[in-house]
Amino acid sequence: MSEVEETIKRIQSHKGVLGIIVVNSEGIPILTSLDNSTTVQYAGLIHQLTMKARSTVRDIDPQNDLTFLRLRSKKHEIMVAPDKEYLLIVIQNPSE
Amino acid sequence: MKKSSIMNTKSQSRFTSRRSDISVSHTHSRRSVTLSESKLTDGKSAGGQRLGLIVLDEDGNDVTPKPLHSYDPTVQKSGFFGSDNQSTVGTPTDVMSFTSVYQSFAQPFSRSIYGSTSNRSAKSKRSSIESSGEITESGPEVTTGFADVMTVRREEVEDLTDEDLNKMVDVILEETDTIWMFEQKGIAVSEESEESQIIQTKNTAYEELCKTKEGNDRFAERGMQTFNFAQKHKEIQAEKVGLTDAAINVTSWDMYDTYASKEEPPTSDSNEGIIEKRGRSLGGGGERRGSRDGSVGTSRVTGRCLWGGKGGPLFLIIPTGVNPQWEKISNSESILKHLVVMERVVTENIYQPKQATYRGMSVLIDPDKEMEDAENATGGGSPDIMTAIGPTIDRLWSYSSPMTKGRNVSSMTWNKVNPDILAVGYGQFGFNEQNKNKGSLTCCWNLKNPEFPERVFHSKASVTALDFSSVYPNLLAVGLYDGTVCIYNVRNMTDQPVVDSFDCTGKHSSPVWQLCWIERERGLGEDRSEILISISADGRVVQWSIRKGFECSDLMKLKRTGSKNPQKKKEKAEALISRQAPGMCFDFHAKDSNMYLAGTEEGLIHKCSCSYNEQFLDTYTGHTGPLYKVRWSPYCPDVFLSCSSDWSIRLWKQTELKPVLNFFSTTKAVHDICWSPYSSTVFCAVNEGAVEIWDLKTNTLDPLITNLASPGMKFSCAIFSLNSNSVLVGDSDGHVSVYQLRNMSDKNEDKDASALSNIMNSTISSQVDKNSDEKRKE
């Protein structure tokens, strides 16, 4: 298996990780470990949020760019690694 | 189809010049009805060349209107005369006068326009005109230049080339002049203005006039008739004009991107590029929901299922409908980097309390987590309980992964530049335990991810020694059980060593037990250079250099020195297999890089120098078994510590050939010792069954802390952490556990070497006393 897939499997087997989603640049999920409806929901909402976050960062200084986004809530933490062509989303429950 | 009939007077010059007088006199009255103030004058003064008539106004200016279009005698005209003239025109002369008037005064807007429908009447007119022979010529010669007007100027249609389409067209918007289309001045005047008086008098005069209108001779009534032509409806149909709404959001970074990507210098209009990128800036999330649902829904059935490492099934649904996209992304480099970062972040979430304690920082408490009991709490705990227990070591976590399970940890070393990176070698010590099929591993672990090593290097033989270089911090030297020395570059992800000693002539033939990079001050003008020193069981201390290939040269051959046991009366003749003693360990002096200690299997420690490769400077005797480790003290330059398989640890002073202090605490072989970097009197010893922390200040007979191994597991090596008060211990099961020392005495006191030297001196002096006492007794 390729290194990418191995790493994804490893991340998923970490303690507390609920799921991992890869979304393309239009907001369509292309890889997921959650069920359909949850994936679609996460993909759409997180994509919009990431676009907004990136727009905010670059508006302040156009030479800057967003590298990582973490959203911590009561129940879990959503971590987003954005890129030009895709978004990597991991949902983890850190206090398990 | 009403055309304006405008005729040039050129051809009419003949008769108009003759008839001008008459025409003038006849049309005088007419003119006052139809024309403005300008009056007709004799055209003779002009010579009758251009126009038959010249109009002068009251001041004598020539206001002869010029014809609207040029007259082309070759073009025929359709119709000219209308029935309007019939009532008023009786004689041909009148007709002529009208034509002349029509010709000379080109005011098409104020005239009625006659079309070809009135041809019939025109012909009848002509016939009446032809009756008077003089003007027969007028008919056919009355032509119109109208065809000229009807000529459409054809423009050349050029084909649009690609260049034209792609050319950037600059559209410059300017303010045009104001065009007056219509002006109507108001007819109401304010009473307070100056003109109001005049206007009021005018109004009253007008009223008087109206009153006197009836019965006044000055006014005559006259009827007029206007034509009401038949109306015709005409319908047209046009295509509906399509409308599209366009909206754009411009952000400052979007403009920045456009400027950055444009090759030509940007023009004044900066919105050009933004229109092209419109699709990107408009968010596509909400509108696409419908299409997205469909695509994911259909692909849900066909999914791939991968089995995870921890036993349970791990469903990773990869929609095969959009698999090519995933293929493309998974092959890109950036996703791997992002995954690595993500993995570290995920791990940090799990290990944050432990890592914070490791670094000595305070632990973040999750406010939403339920508070556990004080006794169970990890990390802090209540201070009272901890101090009551005394010095302990607390296990934080362990570096282990499924691939390292079951392997014995043979050596560990820190990276010289990044104290978070640890290289661990996994290999068996004994000959019988060598397993050629399984191979051996070297892993580079990172503090940020204790669950999976960052680098893994495979090798066939067991790894027995490791060291990171300080000049090139990415080079890792690995010594193997079969005597091979390899150097890996940890920056690469590949599994191949950079250099391998397999081809060298002077390579080792027995296991390499220890490796060390030593910095040397070379000749003039050179930077710090390093050489690699190795000691192996074939009795040689070899120096390697990587300047030209991989070369080695012997530094020292460890000769067997017969056991100088003065109590024995006769020397036994021992059958020796080789004249050399297997070397097990060595340690270079911190200050003097020329001098080093070498420990052999015989139990002797030799002090050697790189300058002499034939003789030892000194030999320290005391151990009765093979030495496993020799270590100089980091605080006292004269003191070193050694451990061996004879269950003992001995403390030596450089000038004394006998050990100053001996520590017997166990009945198992002591595999590893390590001085603490924080305290001059603390060191850690690892034997097969326990981890011991000794503090010479408090107790020289027993260790301060003993941590027993779990059954079935043996500890094999230990190393102190450089940036934290912890010790890492490797065991035979493939785990490297991180233990943090707690409640040790205050660190600051022990940083200087005085404590240790005091102990040493007092011990030595007591020993000297003892020896002198014994000698006296003898």
Side-chain angles (χ1 to χ4, degrees):
Chain A
M1 247 193 282
S2 79
E3 199 156 341
V4 168
E5 292 193 2
E6 270 188 33
T7 315
I8 290 181
K9 238 182 23 155
R10 247 189 3 253
I11 291 180
Q12 234 188 312
S13 57
H14 271 273
K15 192 175 84 155
V17 171
L18 295 172
I20 182 167
I21 306 173
V22 177
V23 169
N24 74 351
S25 54
E26 292 163 8
I28 302 174
I30 51 176
L31 185 85
T32 176
S33 70
L34 300 168
D35 57 283
N36 197 8
S37 53
T38 320
T39 302
V40 163
Q41 210 178 8
Y42 267 107
L45 296 168
I46 303 279
H47 177 72
Q48 288 178 24
L49 180 68
T50 312
M51 290 299 128
K52 188 70 181 172
R54 182 186 263 152
S55 178
T56 308
V57 166
R58 295 203 73 204
D59 259 346
I60 294 169
D61 177 14
Q63 290 177 330
N64 207 354
D65 201 2
L66 183 69
T67 52
F68 206 85
L69 184 66
R70 285 172 90 160
L71 193 66
R72 200 175 176 113
S73 71
K74 265 192 185 172
K75 293 192 183 167
H76 30 251
E77 179 165 359
I78 303 171
M79 292 156 279
V80 183
D83 189 86
K84 264 205 168 142
E85 300 149 11
Y86 59 87
L87 275 183
L88 176 66
I89 305 169
V90 171
I91 303 134
Q92 187 190 19
N93 188 357
S95 58
E96 228 175 64
Chain B
M1 291 188 294
K2 296 182 178 176
K3 294 181 195 167
S4 60
S5 52
I6 302 153
M7 296 170 51
N8 202 294
T9 58
K10 263 193 202 160
S11 61
Q12 306 304 312
S13 55
R14 251 182 290 151
F15 61 88
T16 47
S17 55
R18 269 181 266 146
R19 303 277 176 201
S20 60
D21 293 330
I22 306 164
S23 59
V24 166
S25 61
H26 264 276
T27 56
H28 211 297
S29 56
R30 305 262 185 312
R31 204 173 30 80
S32 63
V33 172
T34 53
L35 297 174
S36 55
E37 304 114 28
S38 54
K39 55 184 170 164
L40 274 175
T41 54
D42 200 348
K44 279 182 191 161
S45 55
Q49 285 153 356
R50 283 188 299 113
L51 291 169
L53 289 161
I54 293 180
V55 179
L56 297 174
D57 65 3
E58 286 158 353
D59 300 324
N61 300 329
D62 185 1
V63 291
T64 317
K66 296 192 180 63
L68 258 187
H69 63 283
S70 61
Y71 168 61
D72 191 354
T74 57
V75 179
Q76 286 287 334
K77 185 200 165 248
S78 49
F80 170 65
F81 299 109
S83 50
D84 191 3
N85 305 328
Q86 278 196 337
S87 56
T88 52
V89 175
T91 61
T93 53
D94 276 355
V95 171
M96 289 322 299
S97 69
F98 259 99
T99 58
S100 66
V101 164
Y102 279 122
Q103 286 158 21
S104 51
F105 295 98
Q107 290 180 27
F109 296 112
S110 57
R111 300 260 187 277
S112 340
I113 296 179
Y114 304 104
S116 52
T117 50
S118 46
N119 242 342
R120 202 168 29 85
S121 55
K123 277 180 188 154
S124 61
K125 280 276 169 50
R126 263 197 225 115
S127 54
S128 64
I129 291 166
E130 281 164 6
S131 58
S132 59
E134 299 156 276
I135 37 180
T136 334
E137 309 91 33
S138 72
E141 275 162 341
V142 170
T143 57
T144 178
F146 222 75
D148 291 329
V149 178
M150 301 303 283
T151 316
V152 174
R153 257 179 302 141
R154 290 243 170 110
E155 293 176 357
E156 282 183 24
V157 177
E158 300 172 357
D159 289 328
L160 290 176
T161 62
D162 269 341
E163 278 180 2
D164 294 331
L165 287 172
N166 289 335
K167 204 164 50 168
M168 286 292 229
V169 177
D170 294 328
V171 175
I172 301 169
L173 304 175
E174 290 174 349
E175 195 181 341
T176 57
D177 301 329
T178 312
I179 300 171
W180 289 101
M181 308 276 282
F182 175 73
E183 186 183 1
Q184 168 148 356
K185 291 196 178 136
I187 55 173
V189 173
S190 163
E191 281 189 17
E192 295 160 7
S193 74
E194 300 157 350
E195 303 165 322
S196 63
Q197 275 295 324
I198 305 166
I199 289 169
Q200 275 186 350
T201 48
K202 273 192 189 169
N203 285 348
T204 48
Y206 184 68
E207 280 173 21
E208 297 286 323
L209 188 68
C210 286
K211 281 183 202 156
T212 59
K213 197 169 140 186
E214 289 177 25
N216 198 340
D217 283 340
R218 292 177 71 200
F219 292 97
E221 281 207 9
R222 191 168 178 149
M224 297 280 287
Q225 186 182 0
T226 59
F227 287 103
N228 292 328
F229 293 110
Q231 290 191 337
K232 183 175 172 182
H233 286 285
K234 183 158 176 137
E235 289 175 9
I236 59 168
Q237 189 175 5
E239 274 188 25
K240 187 181 171 187
V241 177
L243 298 171
T244 39
D245 286 325
I248 183 84
N249 265 340
V250 177
T251 52
S252 52
W253 53 265
D254 212 349
M255 288 194 277
Y256 175 84
D257 280 345
T258 316
Y259 275 116
S261 64
K262 246 174 117 114
E263 292 147 17
E264 309 156 19
T267 56
S268 59
D269 192 3
S270 66
N271 280 330
E272 287 174 48
I274 291 172
I275 308 281
E276 294 161 0
K277 294 196 185 173
R278 181 162 43 113
R280 218 160 63 85
S281 54
L282 287 174
E287 302 92 62
R288 293 190 188 270
R289 223 171 249 278
S291 61
R292 209 191 316 126
D293 277 338
S295 67
V296 176
T298 51
S299 53
R300 190 194 172 186
V301 178
T302 58
R304 249 202 293 165
C305 168
L306 303 171
W307 287 86
K310 288 204 175 159
L314 211 66
F315 286 97
L316 203 64
I317 301 172
I318 301 173
T320 52
V322 285
N323 220 1
Q325 270 193 351
W326 171 240
E327 295 288 327
K328 192 172 66 136
I329 288 182
S330 69
N331 289 332
S332 69
E333 285 181 11
S334 60
I335 185 134
L336 197 58
K337 284 187 217 156
H338 281 287
L339 280 169
V340 166
V341 171
M342 182 64 81
E343 193 177 358
R344 289 188 187 177
V345 169
V346 166
T347 312
E348 182 209 334
N349 273 338
I350 303 169
Y351 285 99
Q352 199 277 337
K354 304 279 169 65
Q355 288 178 351
T357 344
Y358 178 83
R359 294 250 198 248
M361 299 191 295
S362 59
V363 179
L364 296 174
I365 299 177
D366 197 350
D368 297 312
K369 186 176 162 188
E370 291 164 9
M371 294 307 296
E372 299 167 356
D373 298 343
E375 297 139 27
N376 298 336
T378 59
S382 63
D384 304 331
I385 299 176
M386 298 312 287
T387 47
I389 293 176
T392 51
I393 54 175
D394 186 26
R395 185 173 167 281
L396 294 177
W397 73 83
S398 70
Y399 293 106
S400 69
S401 126
M403 74 167 78
T404 64
K405 201 167 168 54
R407 298 179 189 270
N408 179 33
V409 175
S410 60
S411 57
M412 299 189 287
T413 179
W414 291 104
N415 189 320
K416 303 288 188 288
V417 165
N418 185 350
D420 283 341
I421 295 181
L422 177 74
V424 178
Y426 298 88
Q428 306 291 343
F429 287 138
F431 184 76
N432 292 332
E433 292 143 11
Q434 297 293 318
N435 192 343
K436 286 272 163 46
N437 298 331
K438 208 163 146 192
S440 166
L441 288 182
T442 314
C443 293
C444 285
W445 293 89
N446 192 346
L447 176 70
K448 294 175 193 165
N449 189 357
E451 295 202 5
F452 195 78
E454 304 263 317
R455 300 277 187 273
V456 177
F457 304 114
H458 291 90
S459 50
K460 285 214 191 99
S462 287
V463 174
T464 48
L466 288 176
D467 199 21
F468 265 109
S469 157
S470 8
V471 174
Y472 304 104
N474 53 322
L475 291 183
L476 174 67
V478 177
L480 302 179
Y481 196 87
D482 61 354
T484 317
V485 175
C486 323
I487 299 183
Y488 287 91
N489 183 0
V490 295
R491 280 209 188 122
N492 302 337
M493 299 289 286
T494 58
D495 205 356
Q496 294 300 315
V498 175
V499 270
D500 196 336
S501 79
F502 194 72
D503 298 324
C504 295
T505 48
K507 64 179 182 180
H508 290 293
S509 45
S510 296
V512 176
W513 288 114
Q514 187 146 0
L515 280 174
C516 202
W517 289 92
I518 301 295
E519 274 189 58
R520 279 292 179 77
E521 293 298 323
R522 283 287 184 192
L524 310 159
E526 278 191 27
D527 294 331
R528 318 150 50 190
S529 64
E530 258 191 334
I531 47 170
L532 178 66
I533 315 276
S534 66
I535 190 169
S536 108
D538 61 359
R540 282 162 44 222
V541 180
V542 174
Q543 161 189 322
W544 305 81
S545 78
I546 48 173
R547 301 182 85 217
K548 301 173 210 167
F550 206 26
E551 293 172 350
C552 62
S553 59
D554 277 2
L555 262 190
M556 175 67 72
K557 288 190 172 52
L558 303 167
K559 295 202 194 72
R560 272 186 194 276
T561 56
S563 54
K564 293 180 183 141
N565 204 341
Q567 291 186 352
K568 281 209 175 141
K569 295 283 158 64
K570 51 176 181 177
E571 284 181 13
K572 283 187 186 168
E574 294 177 348
L576 303 168
I577 298 172
S578 88
R579 288 198 58 215
Q580 286 164 336
M584 302 291 294
C585 54
F586 70 96
D587 198 15
F588 269 76
H589 195 258
K591 301 261 168 43
D592 181 7
S593 63
N594 238 353
M595 187 177 63
Y596 61 96
L597 297 166
T600 65
E601 212 178 5
E602 300 171 317
L604 303 169
I605 306 176
H606 303 290
K607 186 164 79 169
C608 323
S609 165
C610 295
S611 333
Y612 308 104
N613 58 356
E614 291 289 329
Q615 270 194 335
F616 308 128
L617 296 177
D618 270 322
T619 303
Y620 304 89
T621 53
H623 277 291
T624 52
L627 292 200
Y628 283 145
K629 254 322 187 308
V630 173
R631 288 251 193 251
W632 287 101
S633 162
Y635 288 98
C636 294
D638 287 339
V639 176
F640 61 91
L641 198 66
S642 64
C643 72
S644 90
S645 63
D646 64 355
W647 309 346
S648 71
I649 307 165
R650 296 177 204 259
L651 184 70
W652 310 74
K653 202 169 151 92
Q654 199 188 102
T655 48
E656 302 277 328
L657 295 183
K658 293 276 177 219
V660 174
L661 277 174
N662 302 314
F663 311 104
F664 301 95
S665 63
T666 176
T667 56
K668 295 198 177 62
V670 184
H671 278 287
D672 204 350
I673 44 168
C674 191
W675 284 99
S676 159
Y678 295 110
S679 172
S680 62
T681 53
V682 174
F683 64 89
C684 166
V686 163
N687 59 48
E688 283 179 7
V691 176
E692 298 169 353
I693 309 286
W694 293 77
D695 189 359
L696 296 176
K697 208 156 48 98
T698 48
N699 194 347
T700 57
L701 291 177
D702 285 318
L704 190 62
I705 306 166
T706 310
N707 194 1
L708 294 171
S710 24
M713 190 178 71
K714 297 183 219 169
F715 291 120
S716 52
C717 56
I719 193 171
F720 262 93
S721 158
L722 297 173
N723 53 357
S724 156
N725 195 14
S726 320
V727 63
L728 277 75
V729 179
D731 62 21
S732 60
D733 208 17
H735 300 285
V736 176
S737 311
V738 179
Y739 293 94
Q740 197 184 42
L741 306 170
R742 286 174 190 279
N743 288 320
M744 305 285 289
S745 54
D746 199 2
K747 279 189 259 175
N748 294 329
E749 297 173 0
D750 303 333
K751 285 260 181 191
D752 58 325
S754 54
L756 187 61
S757 44
N758 288 343
I759 297 170
M760 305 277 301
N761 291 336
S762 59
T763 319
I764 290 169
S765 54
S766 66
Q767 276 187 353
V768 165
D769 291 338
K770 224 184 352 175
N771 282 345
S772 58
D773 282 342
E774 281 178 9
K775 279 188 178 155
R776 258 186 271 126
K777 279 179 193 167
E778 287 171 8

